[in-house]
Amino acid sequence: MKYKLFSNSHSLFVWAAVLLFLLAGSATAAIDGISGTGTGTPADPVTFDLTVKMNAISTADGGSVVFWGYADTSVPPSNANRPQYPGPTLIVEQGQTVEIILTNELELLTGATPNVSIVFPGQQVTATGGVSGLLTREAQTTDVPGTPEDESLVTYTFIATNPGTYMYHSGTRPELQVEMGLLGALIVRPAGFNPLNPTAYGPGTEYDREFLFLLSEMDPLIHETVFAYGPDAPELMETDALSDYFSKYWFMNGRTAPDNMGNAGESAGSLLLYQPYNSLPRMHPGERMLMRVIGGNREMHPFHHHGNHARVIARDGRLLDTGTGGPLAPGEDPDLSFEVFTINSVPGETVDAIFEWTGKGLNWDVYGVSDDPQFATDPPLPHDCTDLVDNETGVAPPDGYGDPGTDTPWEYCADHLKMFPTLLPQKLDLAFGGWYGGSPFLGSMGALPPGEGGLNPNGGFSYMWHSHTEKELTNFDIFPGGMLTMLIIEGWNVDID
Amino acid sequence: MKKTILMHAMLPVLAIICAVLVASPSVAQVFELAAVETQWLPPGGTADVDEIRMWGFIEDTGSCPAPGSPWTPGPVLRPTDGSLTINLRNCLSVPVSIMIPGQVATGTPEPLTGRVQSFTTETDPFPATGIYIWTGLNAGTFIYHSGTNPGRQVPMGLYGAIIVDNAPGEAYPDPAAGAAFAYNNEALLLYSEIDPALNNDPDTLEVARPLTYSPKYFLINGQPFDAPASPVPAGFPGARTLIRFANIGLKSYMPLILNGPYMKVIAEDGHPYPYAKEQYMVNLAPGKTMDALWDPTAQGNFPIFDRSHHLVSGASSEGGMLALLQVSCPGDFDGDLDVDGTDLELYGDIFGPGVVPALDVFSLNFGSICQ
Amino acid sequence: METYRRYLLPLLLLLVVMFGTLPVGAAISVQCPGDLDGDAIPDPVYTAETIPDPNPDGILVGDPNPDFDPNVTCMHLSSGDGYITMGDGRPMYMFGFSDVTGIPEDNVFIDGQLSHEFPSPPIALREGDVFWLTLSNVGMVDRPDLFDPHTVHYHGFPQSSNIYDGLPESGLSIKMGASLTYYYLNNDPGTYMYHCHVEATEHMQMGMLGSLYVDPIQNQTGFGGDPNTIAGKEGGPGPTGYVYNDGDGSTAYDVEFALQLGGFDSAFHDASVNTQPLPFALMKADYPMINGRGYPDTVAPVGPPAPPEARPLDGFSTQKVNALIEAAAGDRVLLRLSNLEVTRYFTLGSPGIPMRVVGKDAKLLRGPDGIDLSYTTHSLTFGGGMSYDVILDTTGMSGTHFLYATDLNFLVNGETDDGIGGMLTEIRIAPAP
């Protein structure tokens, strides 16, 4: 049976939002998150206030799943005190003392009041308050009668000694609570981080744009059973869902596709208030994208990024570098880094990778030849490939790529004016994707049959970035969905900042 | 338990091997093993009702024991002269065998005709015996397990760990001729699982299958976590611990250490990496072994839990693959993370009055952490 | 249902015969520079059949074809449905590709139907060659209600363009009865893979998956300026080949095998052939395979006979690639390994022979400054879309060794077959010559 794409009104709404988003240009090229209060000294630590609450998230098949989330309850809050999936992305700087104050407001309909907690793999954490748990100190629910005030509040303190990508999650019955939604990302900027010249780990790890890919999954059966019977009821263990885990929803940054390609924050609409983050990577040719890939829940995912290899530069917040040979020179890669076309995301592990694309070596001009007879009805604009300088240094000698500020920065000039090699079939014989602009050339559009295309209004090159466990490209039996997003590489004339 | 503490506490700083959690003493180069019928009682289970049928390797006593003794993983084998002989007594009604991935047995494997049933030479059912010989052993951490009908016999429990050191206190030869792979203390973590429905299936030839295999118990060194758990001795602050990971489950597990320093993962399947990998967790595929150096700097019980969250145990919502790596000071005989008069008394109990040890462990200097 | 299907093919043939051609506008059409007769094989010289008519330039039989380019490789793939035989003998409906290179254009629509294979035909390319791949969609004969288009995604192609990426959501896919030609200049050697990306969860589960690799230019040039290092594959005196342009011969090999892990969910395939809703959420692989077969078929020289519903191109089997590894003691054995199964990871173990991993995801395992990152292991874990290049050193070895899923519950063919099966193959080492 075939499920037609975009057939229900929920999806149409989201697609409209995507279109508006792409036309308007996105926010900054940095990751959405919160930076807490405080300067980061031991006397004035960077402080976050998180509270665990329950609500429901939305999946793109029209489903709704009860979840437990960390809410940013700082003053002022970043998401109206709502619990969110994933939890707020915490962004701090290397060397800062960080303090997270956790409050527990879980009140289940069954009367259960489970403890919650946070663990921070990769950090050395001191926990005070609350009650003792197996992995760390835990916060009891505030309304447990007779509980002294301080057993409902836990303070976790650590020094962010090393830059990198990390995560945090519940340390109380993780197989249940992380599944329920208690997970989030932690980003530590290198000391002296300058947002105008950002690096991941200092010199040698410069990038132009960064995107978070927090991958996770859910089995709604667990959520329904917990909601109906409570987390300690025998019914939950009888499902075998925790020992023989079988996921049915897959998320990027807390949303299933295509919801993850809508706007971030409240402008995504009322169905996504508890899922504030999106995943809509965009870049220009020649830019460096930093991919922060995190395995959020308990399954591995092979993250395949169409378009080019990515260079893995760090794992678990540690640069893949021998540390010998002195400090890295600008642009020099960590010397133990390696390239992949599919990033293996392991639960609990974090991977940092750099992705770049120019179309080098395709042997035809990706911007098109303006008098190519095959495209006479939708000719691409003429352009020059002007290469006088090295794009990294700004001075001679030329590096083979179009210079900044010219028609086509980072165009591979050796392929300039080479004709498109094949004859495309007539349109009646073709099916078109929503992200096809109607032209094979970057930055050009072409006529399409009515109703086709439309999601790529600037004629960029679009690539699906997705889990290569293709079963995970569904939302509980509905294809497409799940763990996928589209990277759009836009011509330099398109403002994406 | 006292014996374990004794062996732990007797370690001087330099190069002596720590015993592993499984309480079996080092044995000679020829190992006498038997494959026997056993059973395993899950925690909280009722005796004579809830036992799960298991098969296991045990030290051969000369004859086949009565079925029903409690199952454990096979004894940890530790050959030291580069060769290994196992005399195997088969007490089971099915053929069995022993293979060690990463070590090649002597004797030319027969060219096959037809469909294989064993990945190595079989030993016929009871009362047959078999001999398995390996020479030119490779250094590292390995698993021995049945190579016969492995889709049934491995989940039944026919496995154990085998450790081959390059030299005492040295895991691998180091091409740079430095001491990079030397270690002071050692911890072995053997991961495995039990599917009661498969093991209790009376058809002894039936195997684990993709749609029906469903383990309910998740074990480290043959036990699920059961509070209060015995911690795994994992060295002293300021000394180097080698953590040997081995996974003989049919699923992947991902041990993650909380609150401790990162591991330097140096090898897998008995082969050192070109460069150590600095990670707080490792990804153990089915059949995988990994070796990691860990340099704790503080006393404490450090949780190491499976980050793919196999943390339940049958009908119990707690259990599974969680262990506590205990870092304590030498001389801490009672494991309470404090070296004091109680330990001195225990010291006297163990060695007897008037016995003076070769090293005075109480005076070793580990900085401000240990006196 | 059976009766309906039995009449469908003759009905379609009748339509074609009556109307002489395919539905209006559709055309099976090959694009291949230097190909004079539309069979996707470049023609170096003119033959009697390929001399144009009229012939204003006076071309003679045997004249060289000016459009012939030795650096051009062409291939014509058909896509659609078919049947294979599982390791327990069970027939299974599937979708796939088959290699119709050499078949005249006008015959492809008919010859291609129900010919499709698992795995899809392996594609072997050379660095520096341009690959012209024509994909023709011959329809789903046994699911006439389906009008699915198809694509080819050359998985991992570096610096890929949008138009030739084969991703339907971002570009083009080809409808029934027509052809789409892809163009790739192969700049980067390594082990890749290919698959259809249309409705990926469904089409990939159904079997549109195959191996693809690119030999390095070092095979042709040798290294260090030494002509004795030119590869045997290119007629030279050196080793059979190199995996990458290593510059030092460290990825040399003597024998080469491409193994692709896969698996079918029989419930999904049955639902497909019976026109039932497809159980995406319940998808699980119960027939694990290497190169499209479950042991012991993995080591059989010839594939199992195709079910009677299939129309294999060779008249016998739709599973043409085995997974048997054979070498002489001392051979360096290259395994080009990939996984395209759509539901889970597998770990492939070689307990008896160490695996030296020299490449990963079509890149030599070397840091950017030249640090050697190759390593040795006894098992590799594959998610979908991952590849590894492994060299086995068989010096001093003999007999039969095994390469199999250490996920031991995948050593079966389905739920009822007795005996070891599934994701297992043998490495047979003969005495050194």
Side-chain angles (χ1 to χ4, degrees):
Chain A
M1 189 126 128
K2 296 168 54 54
Y3 292 92
K4 190 169 186 304
L5 185 59
F6 324 136
S7 66
N8 63 61
S9 59
H10 171 76
S11 287
L12 276 176
F13 172 79
V14 172
W15 293 124
V18 171
L19 188 57
L20 285 170
F21 176 83
L22 290 170
L23 287 171
S26 73
T28 67
I31 292 172
D32 288 338
I34 57 176
S35 301
T37 57
T39 56
T41 63
D44 181 30
V46 174
T47 306
F48 299 92
D49 223 292
L50 298 181
T51 303
V52 174
K53 306 183 191 183
M54 183 176 76
N55 212 296
I57 58 167
S58 175
T59 54
D61 58 334
S64 179
V65 183
V66 169
F67 86 107
W68 301 350
Y70 295 109
D72 172 21
T73 44
S74 327
V75 177
S78 57
N79 191 26
N81 290 312
R82 295 187 199 106
Q84 56 180 86
Y85 183 66
T89 299
L90 312 177
I91 305 181
V92 301
E93 193 168 308
Q94 179 181 14
Q96 289 181 329
T97 302
V98 181
E99 194 174 273
I100 289 107
I101 302 170
L102 178 68
T103 309
N104 183 354
E105 285 183 8
L106 272 189
E107 300 174 38
L108 306 191
L109 294 179
T110 59
T113 54
N115 292 355
V116 295
S117 60
I118 313 180
V119 292
F120 301 85
Q123 316 297 337
Q124 310 242 20
V125 180
T126 311
T128 57
V131 297
S132 171
L134 279 179
L135 297 185
T136 186
R137 297 199 71 83
E138 305 178 344
Q140 292 190 328
T141 303
T142 47
D143 69 345
V144 172
T147 307
E149 158 106 6
D150 67 8
E151 284 180 0
S152 71
L153 204 109
V154 178
T155 302
Y156 301 96
T157 309
F158 60 90
I159 301 175
T161 324
N162 296 77
T165 304
Y166 304 90
M167 74 168 298
Y168 64 91
H169 62 83
S170 175
T172 309
R173 289 184 70 193
E175 74 284 357
L176 175 64
Q177 297 203 359
V178 179
E179 163 68 25
M180 291 303 291
L182 290 173
L183 60 97
L186 165 67
I187 294 174
V188 181
R189 303 275 187 218
F193 178 75
N194 175 5
L196 298 177
N197 185 19
T199 74
Y201 292 84
T205 60
E206 292 85 359
Y207 61 88
D208 298 294
R209 295 170 196 285
E210 61 170 3
F211 290 94
L212 178 67
F213 299 96
L214 176 47
L215 310 178
S216 63
E217 67 280 342
M218 279 186 176
D219 177 5
L221 175 63
I222 295 172
H223 299 243
E224 286 159 16
T225 310
V226 167
F227 184 65
Y229 298 102
D232 300 312
E235 284 84 351
L236 176 60
M237 299 311 297
E238 282 162 17
T239 62
D240 280 343
L242 293 174
S243 61
D244 199 0
Y245 187 69
F246 198 72
S247 46
K248 302 172 189 100
Y249 286 119
W250 298 273
F251 302 84
M252 292 177 79
N253 297 344
R255 297 185 187 173
T256 58
D259 291 343
N260 60 340
M261 291 181 267
N263 284 348
E266 291 189 357
S267 51
S270 59
L271 287 171
L272 294 169
L273 289 177
Y274 302 93
Q275 297 151 278
Y277 299 142
N278 67 355
S279 177
L280 200 49
R282 296 166 83 197
M283 64 190 295
H284 294 129
E287 286 185 329
R288 277 195 201 93
M289 179 203 294
L290 172 65
M291 304 167 64
R292 299 185 188 263
V293 182
I294 302 179
N297 194 7
R298 61 185 285 179
E299 294 191 304
M300 293 193 285
H301 302 286
F303 188 49
H304 177 52
H305 37 87
H306 286 229
N308 206 1
H309 285 79
R311 178 173 291 279
V312 176
I313 62 169
R315 187 193 287 115
D316 285 0
R318 293 294 182 270
L319 201 58
L320 296 179
D321 183 59
T322 56
T324 60
L328 295 169
E332 181 184 329
D333 290 317
D335 59 3
L336 295 178
S337 64
F338 57 94
E339 291 180 270
V340 294
F341 48 58
T342 304
I343 294 175
N344 191 26
S345 176
V346 177
E349 248 184 36
T350 73
V351 172
D352 295 297
I354 301 285
F355 178 88
E356 300 174 71
W357 183 93
T358 57
K360 171 189 178 187
L362 286 171
N363 210 30
W364 49 277
D365 190 328
V366 294
Y367 296 91
V369 178
S370 58
D371 55 8
D372 186 334
Q374 189 183 172
F375 303 99
T377 53
D378 292 308
L381 292 177
H383 68 285
D384 290 323
C385 197
T386 310
D387 176 31
L388 301 171
V389 301
D390 181 323
N391 291 3
E392 298 279 4
T393 63
V395 297
D399 58 357
Y401 293 95
D403 294 338
T406 62
D407 285 347
T408 51
W410 286 101
E411 177 185 357
Y412 184 58
C413 290
D415 286 339
H416 184 57
L417 290 182
K418 288 187 182 173
M419 295 287 275
F420 187 73
T422 60
L423 287 171
L424 297 180
Q426 58 178 341
K427 293 196 166 67
L428 284 176
D429 288 338
L430 290 170
F432 302 98
W435 279 268
Y436 184 53
S439 166
F441 305 118
L442 181 54
S444 293
M445 309 283 289
L448 286 169
E452 300 283 11
L455 296 172
N456 187 357
N458 303 305
F461 275 8
S462 59
Y463 300 92
M464 189 184 284
W465 283 19
H466 63 97
S467 167
H468 215 285
T469 304
E470 271 78 10
K471 177 186 177 180
E472 299 177 351
L473 305 184
T474 57
N475 296 318
F476 205 160
D477 241 15
I478 311 277
F479 177 88
M483 197 177 283
L484 70 89
T485 188
M486 299 297 284
L487 162 72
I488 303 184
I489 300 182
E490 304 274 23
W492 277 87
N493 57 311
V494 178
D495 178 11
I496 58 178
D497 284 320
Chain B
M1 188 48 70
K2 253 192 188 175
K3 191 170 177 204
T4 309
I5 292 173
L6 164 67
M7 298 185 78
H8 176 203
M10 279 305 290
L11 281 168
V13 175
L14 301 171
I16 287 191
I17 312 309
C18 173
V20 298
L21 180 64
V22 175
S24 73
S26 294
V27 290
Q29 300 305 298
V30 178
F31 298 87
E32 312 282 346
L33 296 183
V36 300
E37 286 266 357
T38 58
Q39 58 187 19
W40 186 74
L41 182 66
T46 309
D48 298 327
V49 173
D50 295 327
E51 278 88 354
I52 298 168
R53 183 177 180 196
M54 306 288 292
W55 295 338
F57 291 117
I58 62 168
E59 285 175 45
D60 185 21
T61 57
S63 63
C64 289
S69 50
W71 171 86
T72 64
V76 178
L77 307 181
R78 201 150 196 150
T80 53
D81 71 356
S83 71
L84 169 64
T85 301
I86 297 179
N87 293 325
L88 178 65
R89 179 186 307 279
N90 191 358
C91 301
L92 303 173
S93 56
V94 292
V96 81
S97 57
I98 296 188
M99 61 183 281
I100 307 177
Q103 311 284 6
V104 181
T106 57
T108 306
E110 297 295 322
L112 280 186
T113 51
R115 193 167 177 175
V116 72
Q117 181 183 272
S118 284
F119 292 141
T120 186
T121 314
E122 279 181 10
T123 300
D124 286 337
F126 171 82
T129 59
I131 302 180
Y132 296 86
I133 302 173
W134 293 262
T135 57
L137 288 175
N138 300 309
T141 306
F142 302 90
I143 301 169
Y144 65 94
H145 64 82
S146 174
T148 302
N149 202 21
R152 178 60 180 274
Q153 298 202 3
V154 169
M156 286 298 286
L158 285 166
Y159 49 79
I162 158 173
I163 294 173
V164 182
D165 275 315
N166 185 59
E170 189 177 293
Y172 294 97
D174 180 7
F181 300 139
Y183 62 95
N184 306 120
N185 305 295
E186 179 188 87
L188 171 67
L189 300 174
L190 174 67
Y191 289 78
S192 63
E193 69 221 10
I194 297 178
D195 174 356
L198 174 68
N199 286 22
N200 288 334
D201 188 332
D203 175 4
T204 55
L205 295 179
E206 180 54 17
V207 294
R209 293 181 189 269
L211 298 186
T212 50
Y213 182 64
S214 178
K216 303 285 187 282
Y217 298 97
F218 304 96
L219 318 176
I220 302 179
N221 294 338
Q223 303 175 47
F225 180 81
D226 198 11
S230 304
V232 176
F236 315 143
R240 168 156 283 181
T241 302
L242 174 67
I243 306 178
R244 297 181 184 272
F245 294 98
N247 177 16
I248 191 55
L250 280 60
K251 301 168 69 147
S252 294
Y253 299 105
M254 290 122 193
L256 184 156
I257 300 182
L258 276 181
N259 272 341
Y262 276 51
M263 292 181 276
K264 293 183 178 52
V265 189
I266 58 169
E268 70 176 63
D269 292 347
H271 292 275
Y273 294 131
Y275 290 90
K277 302 181 181 183
E278 224 186 323
Q279 300 176 188
Y280 50 69
M281 61 181 285
V282 290
N283 182 8
L284 299 179
K288 180 64 63 184
T289 74
M290 283 188 174
D291 300 304
L293 300 175
W294 193 53
D295 298 330
T297 55
Q299 292 188 86
N301 290 327
F302 295 87
I304 182 168
F305 71 100
D306 167 36
R307 185 58 179 81
S308 66
H309 291 168
H310 294 89
L311 301 171
V312 296
S313 201
S316 163
S317 60
E318 279 186 359
M321 287 168 164
L322 167 64
L324 298 173
L325 296 175
Q326 181 172 76
V327 178
S328 58
C329 291
D332 180 16
F333 292 106
D334 58 7
D336 66 352
L337 302 181
D338 189 23
V339 180
D340 57 17
T342 325
D343 300 294
L344 187 56
E345 284 175 26
L346 274 175
Y347 190 93
D349 287 347
I350 292 163
F351 287 102
V355 175
V356 178
L359 287 164
D360 182 352
V361 297
F362 289 91
S363 70
L364 286 169
N365 179 19
F366 287 92
S368 59
I369 300 295
C370 299
Q371 64 217 27
Chain C
M1 189 57 82
E2 274 302 320
T3 313
Y4 174 63
R5 277 211 297 282
R6 209 180 302 135
Y7 286 128
L8 183 66
L9 182 56
L11 183 63
L12 190 60
L13 282 168
L14 184 63
L15 278 170
V16 172
V17 166
M18 281 169 59
F19 295 103
T21 183
L22 300 164
V24 171
I28 304 289
S29 160
V30 170
Q31 292 178 48
C32 171
D35 174 23
L36 296 172
D37 53 7
D39 66 353
I41 300 176
D43 302 300
V45 299
Y46 285 95
T47 62
E49 293 79 18
T50 57
I51 287 179
D53 178 20
N55 187 2
D57 300 323
I59 298 171
L60 302 173
V61 171
D63 279 355
N65 175 4
D67 293 328
F68 177 79
D69 179 351
N71 290 339
V72 165
T73 303
C74 299
M75 189 174 193
H76 189 181
L77 287 180
S78 169
S79 55
D81 60 353
Y83 294 83
I84 66 166
T85 302
M86 311 313 292
D88 60 356
R90 181 200 201 286
M92 189 88 75
Y93 182 63
M94 47 75 78
F95 302 164
F97 297 104
S98 61
D99 187 357
V100 292
T101 308
I103 297 178
E105 276 171 327
D106 291 343
N107 297 350
V108 164
F109 187 76
I110 295 299
D111 288 2
Q113 287 173 356
L114 294 172
S115 72
H116 303 105
E117 299 162 7
F118 189 60
S120 303
I123 298 179
L125 303 169
R126 294 152 86 229
E127 180 181 353
D129 283 358
V130 176
F131 183 43
W132 290 69
L133 173 62
T134 297
L135 171 67
S136 295
N137 180 344
V138 303
M140 311 285 207
V141 173
D142 279 9
R143 280 292 306 274
D145 61 302
L146 292 181
F147 46 90
D148 294 23
H150 295 298
T151 62
V152 169
H153 170 54
Y154 181 148
H155 177 104
F157 185 79
Q159 305 281 7
S160 114
S161 65
N162 196 149
I163 195 76
Y164 296 128
D165 189 34
L167 182 72
E169 288 82 357
S170 65
L172 313 177
S173 44
I174 193 67
K175 292 181 177 172
M176 297 188 306
S179 307
L180 174 64
T181 301
Y182 296 84
Y183 173 98
Y184 306 101
L185 170 58
N186 292 292
N187 296 311
D188 299 276
T191 298
Y192 301 85
M193 61 205 89
Y194 76 99
H195 57 87
C196 177
H197 216 298
V198 174
E199 293 175 29
T201 309
E202 178 188 354
H203 286 216
M204 292 181 68
Q205 165 61 235
M206 293 300 286
M208 304 185 77
L209 319 166
S211 296
L212 189 158
Y213 62 86
V214 179
D215 281 328
I217 202 83
Q218 186 173 299
N219 277 4
Q220 300 170 45
T221 63
F223 63 92
D226 179 2
N228 287 325
T229 60
I230 295 176
K233 268 187 164 189
E234 299 289 339
T240 302
Y242 308 95
V243 195
Y244 293 97
N245 297 312
D246 48 50
D248 58 7
S250 53
T251 65
Y253 61 89
D254 302 300
V255 290
E256 172 184 29
F257 300 90
L259 301 185
Q260 186 165 93
L261 307 182
F264 279 179
D265 175 345
S266 59
F268 191 95
H269 289 241
D270 286 347
S272 179
V273 74
N274 291 318
T275 322
Q276 298 300 304
L278 293 174
F280 288 106
L282 292 176
M283 207 190 274
K284 269 184 134 177
D286 57 342
Y287 281 90
M289 291 176 274
I290 306 178
N291 282 350
R293 304 188 194 174
Y295 183 85
D297 295 337
T298 45
V299 300
V302 180
E309 295 90 340
R311 298 174 56 231
L313 288 175
D314 67 0
F316 183 72
S317 178
T318 50
Q319 288 153 281
K320 298 207 176 118
V321 186
N322 74 2
L324 174 63
I325 300 163
E326 291 179 294
D331 279 346
R332 292 157 297 190
V333 180
L334 168 64
L335 301 181
R336 297 181 181 272
L337 303 173
S338 58
N339 177 22
L340 283 177
E341 202 277 331
V342 300
T343 67
R344 55 165 291 140
Y345 282 66
F346 293 100
T347 299
L348 198 64
S350 168
I353 306 180
M355 307 161 93
R356 183 163 75 92
V357 186
V358 300
K360 178 176 161 55
D361 284 3
K363 288 290 181 189
L364 178 62
L365 268 179
R366 210 176 256 181
D369 303 327
I371 292 180
D372 182 11
L373 298 177
S374 69
Y375 66 101
T376 305
T377 186
H378 281 279
S379 74
L380 286 170
T381 300
F382 293 80
M386 296 182 180
S387 79
Y388 286 98
D389 300 293
V390 159
I391 297 183
L392 307 177
D393 180 2
T394 60
T395 309
M397 303 215 170
S398 60
T400 301
H401 295 263
F402 301 96
L403 186 70
Y404 60 92
T406 56
D407 323 75
L408 299 173
N409 49 328
F410 287 86
L411 297 180
V412 292
N413 297 311
E415 292 293 301
T416 55
D417 189 41
D418 287 329
I420 297 182
M423 197 174 280
L424 161 67
T425 186
E426 296 171 13
I427 306 172
R428 296 183 187 159
I429 302 180

